[in-house]
Amino acid sequence: MRCERPVVEPMARRLEHKLGGYSLPVRVVRAPAEELPFAEESFDFVISTLVLCAVEDPGRALAEIHRILRPDGRLIFLEHVRSDEPGLALWQDRLHGGWVRVGHGCHCNRPTLENIERAGFSITEIEHDRLRRAPPIVRPLIAGVALA
Ligand SMILES: C[S@@+](CC[C@H](N)C(=O)[O-])C[C@H]1O[C@@H](n2cnc3c(N)ncnc32)[C@H](O)[C@@H]1O
């Protein structure tokens, strides 16, 4: 599949390189998260690690994930997010524009947990943590499971 957004390519190549060492029945599909080329209700699980900070339109990406999951399917996520501490959230907003440029399109201030719930998921497991060895504005981390 042709990739409309070149940002997807470098990680896809790394993944293919790593998979080359294993004999797994895996297919790497290049596609924007906002337009997933899969039928409705066709997956049991979607795993998203540090992607919802980077997509252009998180609302559309989450709607797509919801669409392709079966009714009892699960989104498993690990994402850095907007801080719950007002002081840090203010710095995330202030530095957001510069961070998007140096961070290859990464948004440091997204309320991803709220976005997941807004897309119609129910959070069944959630842990709040810190991304170690990262600048403070991208440290607040969530890991969890959301039911479609
Ligand atoms: C910080 S990297 C994380 C990569 C990997 N998931 C990980 O945890 O190491 C962000 C990823 O989001 C992907 N990405 C950015 N915008 C995207 C979009 N609109 N659709 C699909 N993937 C996108 C990039 O290609 C990149 O692989």
Side-chain angles (χ1 to χ4, degrees):
M1 174 153 306
R2 196 163 68 85
C3 176
E4 300 293 341
R5 296 183 172 106
V7 72
V8 177
E9 187 55 29
M11 284 292 190
R13 274 204 303 269
R14 279 177 69 173
L15 179 61
E16 279 171 337
H17 180 71
K18 286 194 172 181
L19 287 170
Y22 301 90
S23 54
L24 293 168
V26 175
R27 188 163 57 102
V28 177
V29 176
R30 291 158 168 79
E34 294 88 347
E35 292 166 52
L36 294 174
F38 305 114
E40 288 181 17
E41 302 186 5
S42 52
F43 288 88
D44 295 313
F45 294 96
V46 170
I47 300 175
S48 169
T49 65
L50 306 175
V51 170
L52 294 171
C53 60
V55 297
E56 279 173 33
D57 185 336
R60 268 183 68 193
L62 282 161
E64 278 293 88
I65 293 170
H66 198 276
R67 180 184 68 77
I68 66 167
L69 278 169
R70 298 205 170 93
D72 58 350
R74 283 162 171 78
L75 165 63
I76 298 173
F77 55 87
L78 173 85
E79 299 285 344
H80 72 80
V81 293
R82 182 178 189 80
S83 178
D84 291 333
E85 298 164 25
L88 181 52
L90 188 64
W91 277 108
Q92 288 176 316
D93 291 339
R94 278 186 182 148
L95 299 176
H96 172 253
W99 183 256
V100 169
R101 282 190 289 278
V102 298
H104 305 283
C106 171
H107 298 258
C108 61
N109 60 351
R110 282 194 172 158
T112 295
L113 189 58
E114 291 80 352
N115 287 344
I116 292 171
E117 288 178 308
R118 216 170 286 135
F121 289 92
S122 307
I123 306 296
T124 57
E125 289 176 47
I126 184 73
E127 279 182 32
H128 295 264
D129 204 344
R130 302 250 139 206
L131 201 52
R132 288 159 193 84
R133 286 179 288 173
I137 57 168
V138 287
R139 270 188 212 152
L141 192 73
I142 54 168
V145 180
L147 188 65

